[in-house]
Amino acid sequence: MARLATAEAEQALEALLKDGRVIVLEEGQKNSAARLLAARHIVVLEKERLVELVRQFHRQNPLRNGISRDILKNRAGLAVWVFPLLVQQLVEEGVLRDNQRVLALPEHKIRFSSPQAHLIEQILQTFRTSPYTPPGVKECAQQLGEDVYQALIETGKLVQVSEDVVFLSDTYQEMLAAVVEIIHANGAITVAEFRDHFNTSRKYALAFLEHLDRSGITLRDGDNRRLRSRK
Protein backbone atom coordinates (compact mmCIF):
# COMPACT_ATOMS: atom_id res chain seq x y z
CA MET A 1 0.00 0.00 0.00
CA ALA A 2 2.87 2.35 0.84
CA ARG A 3 4.35 1.82 -2.60
CA LEU A 4 0.98 2.48 -4.22
CA ALA A 5 0.55 5.71 -2.21
CA THR A 6 4.02 6.86 -3.22
CA ALA A 7 3.32 6.09 -6.86
CA GLU A 8 0.02 7.93 -6.72
CA ALA A 9 1.66 10.91 -5.07
CA GLU A 10 4.34 11.02 -7.75
CA GLN A 11 1.71 10.85 -10.46
CA ALA A 12 -0.27 13.66 -8.82
CA LEU A 13 2.87 15.77 -8.54
CA GLU A 14 3.79 15.22 -12.16
CA ALA A 15 0.27 16.27 -13.14
CA LEU A 16 0.63 19.48 -11.13
CA LEU A 17 3.98 20.15 -12.76
CA LYS A 18 2.54 19.47 -16.20
CA ASP A 19 -0.34 21.90 -15.85
CA GLY A 20 1.90 24.52 -14.26
CA ARG A 21 0.34 24.74 -10.83
CA VAL A 22 3.64 23.58 -9.31
CA ILE A 23 6.99 24.73 -10.67
CA VAL A 24 10.60 23.71 -10.12
CA LEU A 25 12.58 26.45 -8.41
CA GLU A 26 15.82 24.52 -8.45
CA GLU A 27 16.82 21.18 -9.86
CA GLY A 28 18.59 18.71 -7.60
CA GLN A 29 22.30 18.17 -7.72
CA LYS A 30 23.75 15.90 -10.36
CA ASN A 31 22.73 12.25 -9.92
CA SER A 32 20.04 13.36 -7.45
CA ALA A 33 16.28 13.29 -7.92
CA ALA A 34 15.76 16.03 -5.32
CA ARG A 35 14.04 19.16 -6.64
CA LEU A 36 12.95 22.36 -4.95
CA LEU A 37 9.28 22.82 -5.80
CA ALA A 38 6.75 25.55 -5.08
CA ALA A 39 3.18 26.45 -5.94
CA ARG A 40 3.20 28.76 -8.96
CA HIS A 41 0.79 31.30 -7.48
CA ILE A 42 2.95 31.64 -4.35
CA VAL A 43 6.07 32.19 -6.47
CA VAL A 44 4.27 34.80 -8.58
CA LEU A 45 3.05 36.65 -5.49
CA GLU A 46 6.49 36.65 -3.84
CA LYS A 47 8.21 37.86 -7.00
CA GLU A 48 5.66 40.67 -7.34
CA ARG A 49 6.30 41.58 -3.71
CA LEU A 50 10.06 41.73 -4.29
CA VAL A 51 9.56 44.02 -7.29
CA GLU A 52 7.27 46.28 -5.25
CA LEU A 53 9.88 46.49 -2.47
CA VAL A 54 12.48 47.60 -5.04
CA ARG A 55 10.01 50.15 -6.43
CA GLN A 56 9.36 51.52 -2.95
CA PHE A 57 13.11 51.85 -2.37
CA HIS A 58 13.46 53.87 -5.59
CA ARG A 59 10.67 56.20 -4.50
CA GLN A 60 12.26 56.71 -1.09
CA ASN A 61 15.84 56.94 -2.41
CA PRO A 62 15.71 58.48 -5.91
CA LEU A 63 19.43 59.29 -5.87
CA ARG A 64 20.53 55.72 -5.17
CA ASN A 65 21.41 53.25 -7.93
CA GLY A 66 19.39 50.52 -6.29
CA ILE A 67 18.79 48.45 -3.19
CA SER A 68 21.39 46.07 -1.82
CA ARG A 69 20.59 42.37 -1.78
CA ASP A 70 20.95 42.28 2.00
CA ILE A 71 18.46 45.09 2.57
CA LEU A 72 15.98 43.57 0.10
CA LYS A 73 16.36 40.15 1.71
CA ASN A 74 15.70 41.58 5.17
CA ARG A 75 12.67 43.53 4.00
CA ALA A 76 11.24 40.56 2.12
CA GLY A 77 11.62 38.16 5.04
CA LEU A 78 12.00 35.17 2.72
CA ALA A 79 13.90 32.01 3.56
CA VAL A 80 17.60 32.35 2.81
CA TRP A 81 17.46 29.56 0.22
CA VAL A 82 14.39 30.95 -1.57
CA PHE A 83 15.39 34.62 -1.86
CA PRO A 84 18.39 34.20 -4.23
CA LEU A 85 16.43 31.85 -6.48
CA LEU A 86 13.57 34.31 -6.93
CA VAL A 87 15.96 37.23 -7.46
CA GLN A 88 17.89 35.23 -10.05
CA GLN A 89 14.66 34.50 -11.92
CA LEU A 90 13.66 38.17 -11.85
CA VAL A 91 17.06 39.20 -13.21
CA GLU A 92 16.98 36.54 -15.93
CA GLU A 93 13.46 37.64 -16.89
CA GLY A 94 14.64 41.27 -17.14
CA VAL A 95 12.25 42.39 -14.41
CA LEU A 96 15.16 43.46 -12.18
CA ARG A 97 18.57 44.77 -13.16
CA ASP A 98 21.59 43.44 -11.32
CA ASN A 99 23.81 46.50 -10.99
CA GLN A 100 26.91 45.08 -9.32
CA ARG A 101 26.03 45.01 -5.61
CA VAL A 102 22.53 46.45 -5.93
CA LEU A 103 19.25 45.55 -7.61
CA ALA A 104 17.10 48.01 -9.52
CA LEU A 105 14.17 48.25 -11.88
CA PRO A 106 15.34 48.43 -15.52
CA GLU A 107 13.76 51.85 -16.03
CA HIS A 108 15.29 53.40 -12.91
CA LYS A 109 17.75 56.24 -13.52
CA ILE A 110 19.21 58.74 -11.11
CA ARG A 111 17.92 62.17 -12.08
CA PHE A 112 19.23 65.36 -10.52
CA SER A 113 17.22 68.54 -10.17
CA SER A 114 18.46 71.66 -11.94
CA PRO A 115 19.94 73.14 -8.73
CA GLN A 116 21.64 69.84 -7.96
CA ALA A 117 23.02 69.57 -11.49
CA HIS A 118 24.38 73.11 -11.20
CA LEU A 119 26.17 72.31 -7.94
CA ILE A 120 27.56 69.11 -9.43
CA GLU A 121 29.00 70.91 -12.43
CA GLN A 122 30.59 73.53 -10.17
CA ILE A 123 32.37 70.98 -8.02
CA LEU A 124 33.37 68.76 -10.95
CA GLN A 125 34.98 71.80 -12.56
CA THR A 126 37.02 72.21 -9.37
CA PHE A 127 38.13 68.59 -9.73
CA ARG A 128 39.14 69.21 -13.35
CA THR A 129 41.06 72.35 -12.40
CA SER A 130 43.00 70.61 -9.61
CA PRO A 131 42.82 66.92 -10.53
CA TYR A 132 45.61 65.74 -8.21
CA THR A 133 44.69 67.93 -5.23
CA PRO A 134 40.89 67.87 -5.41
CA PRO A 135 38.35 68.88 -2.76
CA GLY A 136 38.03 66.48 0.16
CA VAL A 137 35.16 64.15 0.94
CA LYS A 138 33.77 66.35 3.69
CA GLU A 139 33.87 69.48 1.53
CA CYS A 140 32.10 67.68 -1.33
CA ALA A 141 29.40 66.28 0.93
CA GLN A 142 28.81 69.69 2.51
CA GLN A 143 28.60 71.49 -0.83
CA LEU A 144 26.49 68.90 -2.64
CA GLY A 145 24.57 67.26 0.17
CA GLU A 146 25.27 63.71 1.31
CA ASP A 147 22.70 62.11 -1.02
CA VAL A 148 24.02 63.83 -4.13
CA TYR A 149 27.62 63.08 -3.17
CA GLN A 150 26.82 59.37 -2.68
CA ALA A 151 25.01 59.35 -6.02
CA LEU A 152 28.19 60.57 -7.73
CA ILE A 153 30.12 57.78 -6.03
CA GLU A 154 27.52 55.15 -6.99
CA THR A 155 27.39 56.29 -10.61
CA GLY A 156 31.19 56.21 -10.83
CA LYS A 157 31.74 59.90 -11.54
CA LEU A 158 33.85 60.11 -8.38
CA VAL A 159 36.03 57.46 -6.75
CA GLN A 160 36.59 57.70 -3.01
CA VAL A 161 39.93 56.17 -2.02
CA SER A 162 39.95 56.96 1.69
CA GLU A 163 37.86 58.56 4.39
CA ASP A 164 39.11 62.00 3.30
CA VAL A 165 40.26 61.68 -0.32
CA VAL A 166 38.19 61.39 -3.49
CA PHE A 167 39.16 61.74 -7.15
CA LEU A 168 37.38 62.32 -10.44
CA SER A 169 36.94 58.95 -12.14
CA ASP A 170 39.02 59.93 -15.18
CA THR A 171 41.82 61.16 -12.91
CA TYR A 172 41.68 57.94 -10.90
CA GLN A 173 42.07 55.84 -14.04
CA GLU A 174 44.92 58.04 -15.26
CA MET A 175 46.76 57.73 -11.94
CA LEU A 176 46.20 53.99 -11.79
CA ALA A 177 47.60 53.51 -15.29
CA ALA A 178 50.62 55.67 -14.43
CA VAL A 179 51.34 53.71 -11.23
CA VAL A 180 51.24 50.41 -13.12
CA GLU A 181 53.51 51.82 -15.84
CA ILE A 182 56.03 53.16 -13.31
CA ILE A 183 56.15 49.86 -11.44
CA HIS A 184 56.63 47.94 -14.68
CA ALA A 185 59.49 50.28 -15.59
CA ASN A 186 61.20 50.53 -12.19
CA GLY A 187 59.99 47.50 -10.29
CA ALA A 188 58.28 49.58 -7.60
CA ILE A 189 56.94 53.00 -6.65
CA THR A 190 57.23 54.97 -3.40
CA VAL A 191 54.92 57.57 -1.92
CA ALA A 192 57.51 60.24 -2.66
CA GLU A 193 57.81 59.16 -6.30
CA PHE A 194 54.04 59.21 -6.69
CA ARG A 195 53.86 62.64 -5.05
CA ASP A 196 56.53 64.09 -7.35
CA HIS A 197 55.14 62.48 -10.50
CA PHE A 198 51.72 64.06 -10.01
CA ASN A 199 52.92 67.21 -8.25
CA THR A 200 50.59 66.50 -5.38
CA SER A 201 50.96 66.23 -1.60
CA ARG A 202 51.85 63.23 0.54
CA LYS A 203 48.24 63.13 1.80
CA TYR A 204 46.86 62.34 -1.65
CA ALA A 205 49.74 60.07 -2.64
CA LEU A 206 49.49 57.96 0.51
CA ALA A 207 45.70 57.71 0.31
CA PHE A 208 45.82 56.54 -3.30
CA LEU A 209 48.56 53.96 -2.79
CA GLU A 210 46.97 52.57 0.37
CA HIS A 211 43.74 52.24 -1.60
CA LEU A 212 45.60 50.19 -4.22
CA ASP A 213 46.99 48.00 -1.43
CA ARG A 214 43.48 47.36 -0.07
CA SER A 215 42.17 46.70 -3.58
CA GLY A 216 44.76 43.97 -4.10
CA ILE A 217 46.49 45.82 -6.95
CA THR A 218 49.72 46.59 -5.12
CA LEU A 219 51.62 45.09 -2.21
CA ARG A 220 53.60 47.19 0.23
CA ASP A 221 57.24 46.20 0.68
CA GLY A 222 58.83 48.65 3.11
CA ASP A 223 58.68 52.05 1.42
CA ASN A 224 57.93 50.46 -1.94
CA ARG A 225 54.73 49.35 -3.62
CA ARG A 226 54.97 46.49 -6.07
CA LEU A 227 52.29 44.96 -8.24
CA ARG A 228 50.63 42.02 -6.54
CA SER A 229 51.30 38.85 -8.46
CA ARG A 230 48.29 37.31 -10.16
CA LYS A 231 48.03 33.54 -10.11
Side-chain angles (χ1 to χ4, degrees):
M1 293 294 291
R3 289 183 179 177
L4 179 61
T6 299
E8 290 176 345
E10 288 177 352
Q11 289 177 2
L13 176 59
E14 290 305 318
L16 291 171
L17 286 166
K18 187 174 181 179
D19 69 16
R21 282 183 286 173
V22 171
I23 61 176
V24 179
L25 280 181
E26 186 176 42
E27 293 287 354
Q29 296 180 353
K30 191 175 181 180
N31 301 324
S32 170
R35 291 178 294 181
L36 181 58
L37 307 175
R40 176 179 289 277
H41 74 281
I42 296 297
V43 172
V44 170
L45 288 174
E46 291 298 343
K47 287 165 72 173
E48 289 176 348
R49 193 164 66 87
L50 285 172
V51 172
E52 181 56 30
L53 287 171
V54 176
R55 186 175 289 110
Q56 289 175 6
F57 185 87
H58 288 328
R59 284 198 296 263
Q60 296 164 359
N61 304 273
L63 296 182
R64 298 285 299 277
N65 261 343
I67 184 171
S68 74
R69 287 174 180 265
D70 286 342
I71 291 176
L72 182 59
K73 181 176 66 177
N74 291 337
R75 293 186 179 183
L78 292 169
V80 294
W81 45 271
V82 171
F83 173 78
L85 297 176
L86 297 186
V87 167
Q88 181 180 349
Q89 287 186 11
L90 289 168
V91 171
E92 290 174 351
E93 293 164 1
V95 179
L96 291 182
R97 185 178 72 234
D98 189 353
N99 187 5
Q100 297 179 341
R101 292 172 297 177
V102 299
L103 297 162
L105 297 178
E107 65 272 19
H108 174 68
K109 290 183 179 179
I110 293 176
R111 293 180 175 85
F112 300 107
S113 67
S114 295
Q116 288 170 339
H118 180 68
L119 286 174
I120 289 169
E121 182 52 37
Q122 281 186 325
I123 203 161
L124 291 184
Q125 185 55 43
T126 305
F127 274 84
R128 298 184 193 106
T129 302
S130 304
Y132 311 123
T133 54
V137 171
K138 186 176 180 180
E139 180 182 347
C140 291
Q142 287 178 339
Q143 183 171 337
L144 295 170
E146 185 65 33
D147 287 347
V148 175
Y149 172 74
Q150 288 301 326
L152 294 180
I153 296 294
E154 286 195 15
T155 54
K157 293 186 183 299
L158 297 177
V159 181
Q160 185 171 329
V161 300
S162 75
E163 185 177 340
D164 302 317
V165 177
V166 59
F167 291 102
L168 196 64
S169 179
D170 289 347
T171 303
Y172 175 88
Q173 294 299 332
E174 175 197 344
M175 296 166 80
L176 174 59
V179 167
V180 172
E181 183 178 350
I182 290 170
I183 295 177
H184 278 313
N186 303 330
I189 189 172
T190 65
V191 172
E193 288 169 341
F194 182 101
R195 179 198 63 204
D196 294 344
H197 182 86
F198 292 104
N199 191 27
T200 186
S201 70
R202 178 178 174 81
K203 165 189 168 181
Y204 294 100
L206 185 60
F208 190 88
L209 291 177
E210 287 183 343
H211 164 77
L212 296 189
D213 294 342
R214 292 192 302 273
S215 301
I217 297 171
T218 56
L219 183 67
R220 184 176 178 180
D221 178 16
D223 291 335
N224 295 312
R225 257 78 180 187
R226 307 183 190 280
L227 291 179
R228 189 180 292 270
S229 60
R230 305 282 181 176
K231 293 185 179 180

